[in-house]
């Protein structure tokens, strides 16, 4: 795996890379040019759009941001490109204070729903990690995201705000379906750390994210291997792995085959 060949350099996003070139358990590699992952695409320039849509044949955008984030930040320039299909699939629960169900009553200081959690939920998350909460709260969005990434009419890109947590979970599940090794999945997850300074600079430029970022040291935002390892370990322990969990939510062998065919050489 050559990380240098996986990065896509854009003017308006900094954490963009290909899910190709990653080792698989059968000795192969995942396929380049089919699925990408990214931070927020809000700042894409005309040159970026030409590269993504014209050269890389981007046709599907999986936007994992909450309704509140989209309302505050805007839908993004790719939403007006005719060739591109937008799949907005929040991973936050629709219910309760400061979650998507109240996106019409936006409190800019509390746009991120994980800021307020009751003690019962916090106790569970101490065991399972925050990433498991995405699966618990929005399995429908997880499956829809993976299915959108499997479309065969062009490339797909999955993104959230930083391209680290929500994007990291969906990318890890997609790579698991494709048969990537755990080592490769973890390596892809932590690669975001290589661009962390640029990611944080972009997010701090937005009032939507600035206060949340500045409430913690910059190093607290660094993706660490143990975070994604814990997430995958919980699925192993509770369900026998990510694939059985997906199957328990209605993911079919046909779904798996479609995504594998996109991501496998």
């Amino acid at each position: 795996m050559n990380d240098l060949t996986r990065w896509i350099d854009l003017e308006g996003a900094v954490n963009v890379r290909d899910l190709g070139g990653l080792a698989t358990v059968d000795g192969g590699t995942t396929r380049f040019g089919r699925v990408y992952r990214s931070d927020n695409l809000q700042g894409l320039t005309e040159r970026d759009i030409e590269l993504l849509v014209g050269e890389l044949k981007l046709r599907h955008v999986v936007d994992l941001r909450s309704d509140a984030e989209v309302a505050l930040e805007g839908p993004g320039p790719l939403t007006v490109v005719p060739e591109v299909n937008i799949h907005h699939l929040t991973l936050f629960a629709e219910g309760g204070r400061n979650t998507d169900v109240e996106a019409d009553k936006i409190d800019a200081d509390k746009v991120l729903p994980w800021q307020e959690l009751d003690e019962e939920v916090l106790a569970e998350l101490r065991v399972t990690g925050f990433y498991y909460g995405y699966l618990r709260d929005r399995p429908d969005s997880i499956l829809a995201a993976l299915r959108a990434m499997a479309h065969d009419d062009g490339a797909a890109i999955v993104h959230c705000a930083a391209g680290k947590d929500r994007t990291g979970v969906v990318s890890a599940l997609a790579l698991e379906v494709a048969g990537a090794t755990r080592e490769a999945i973890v390596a892809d997850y932590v690669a975001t750390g290589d661009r962390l300074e640029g990611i944080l600079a972009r997010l701090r430029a937005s009032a939507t994210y600035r206060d949340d970022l500045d409430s913690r040291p910059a190093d607290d935002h660094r993706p660490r291997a143990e975070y994604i390892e814990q997430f995958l370990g919980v699925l192993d322990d509770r369900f026998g792995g990510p694939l059985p969990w997906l199957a328990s939510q209605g993911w079919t062998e046909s779904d798996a085959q479609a995504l594998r065919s996109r991501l496998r050489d």
Side-chain angles (χ1 to χ4, degrees):
M1 176 181 65
N2 183 351
D3 274 343
L4 293 178
T5 65
R6 298 179 59 228
W7 290 103
I8 309 296
D9 291 323
L10 300 178
E11 296 173 332
V14 298
N15 189 22
V16 188
R17 60 186 181 274
D18 200 316
L19 289 186
L22 297 169
T24 57
V25 294
D26 61 1
T29 58
T30 53
R31 182 178 294 179
F32 279 100
R34 299 303 181 88
V35 180
Y36 304 93
R37 56 177 293 173
S38 178
D39 52 338
N40 194 357
L41 299 175
Q42 201 66 30
L44 294 183
T45 65
E46 290 186 9
R47 185 178 299 177
D48 293 336
I49 294 171
E50 173 55 33
L51 172 61
L52 290 171
V53 179
E55 295 183 34
L56 301 182
K57 307 302 180 186
L58 178 67
R59 296 296 180 266
H60 295 276
V61 173
V62 179
D63 183 352
L64 302 177
R65 295 177 300 163
S66 68
D67 288 346
E69 288 172 278
V70 174
L72 286 166
E73 291 289 288
L78 287 173
T79 60
V80 297
V81 178
E83 299 96 323
V84 176
N85 299 284
I86 306 296
H87 308 265
H88 180 220
L89 300 163
T90 177
L91 297 191
F92 293 137
E94 290 186 1
R97 183 183 172 110
N98 299 322
T99 52
D100 292 349
V101 75
E102 295 191 347
D104 58 333
K105 306 173 189 175
I106 296 168
D107 180 344
D109 292 330
K110 295 185 175 67
V111 68
L112 303 177
W114 60 75
Q115 291 179 334
E116 291 192 6
L117 297 168
D118 62 40
E119 280 304 314
E120 183 179 349
V121 172
L122 282 171
E124 169 71 1
L125 292 179
R126 288 186 188 103
V127 176
T128 63
F130 279 85
Y131 292 170
Y132 182 75
Y134 303 150
L135 277 62
R136 181 200 63 226
D137 294 338
R138 295 308 304 263
D140 55 331
S141 289
I142 295 287
L143 266 64
L146 294 174
R147 286 169 178 151
M149 294 160 73
H151 285 300
D152 64 0
D153 57 339
I157 193 166
V158 56
H159 80 93
C160 50
K164 174 173 70 78
D165 299 315
R166 291 166 285 183
T167 297
V169 165
V170 171
S171 296
L173 292 173
L175 290 169
E176 185 84 20
V177 171
T181 67
R182 284 290 172 87
E183 292 82 2
I185 293 172
V186 172
D188 175 66
Y189 170 79
V190 300
T192 287
D194 296 345
R195 302 290 175 99
L196 187 62
E197 182 177 344
I199 294 166
L200 296 181
R202 287 193 71 219
L203 293 178
R204 284 196 176 96
S206 166
T208 303
Y209 304 108
R210 186 182 306 120
D211 289 345
D212 181 65
L213 290 174
D214 289 344
S215 68
R216 292 182 286 159
D219 200 55
D220 281 3
H221 300 287
R222 185 170 300 280
R224 291 176 168 82
E226 55 265 30
Y227 299 161
I228 199 70
E229 289 169 346
Q230 179 191 31
F231 165 68
L232 295 170
V234 168
L235 293 182
D236 290 341
D237 294 342
R238 294 194 171 193
F239 301 96
L243 300 185
W245 178 83
L246 287 168
S248 75
Q249 302 301 316
W251 181 256
T252 67
E253 181 53 38
S254 177
D255 290 327
Q257 181 56 42
L259 186 54
R260 278 196 296 267
S261 70
R262 294 292 290 158
L263 280 169
R264 288 302 305 273
D265 283 332

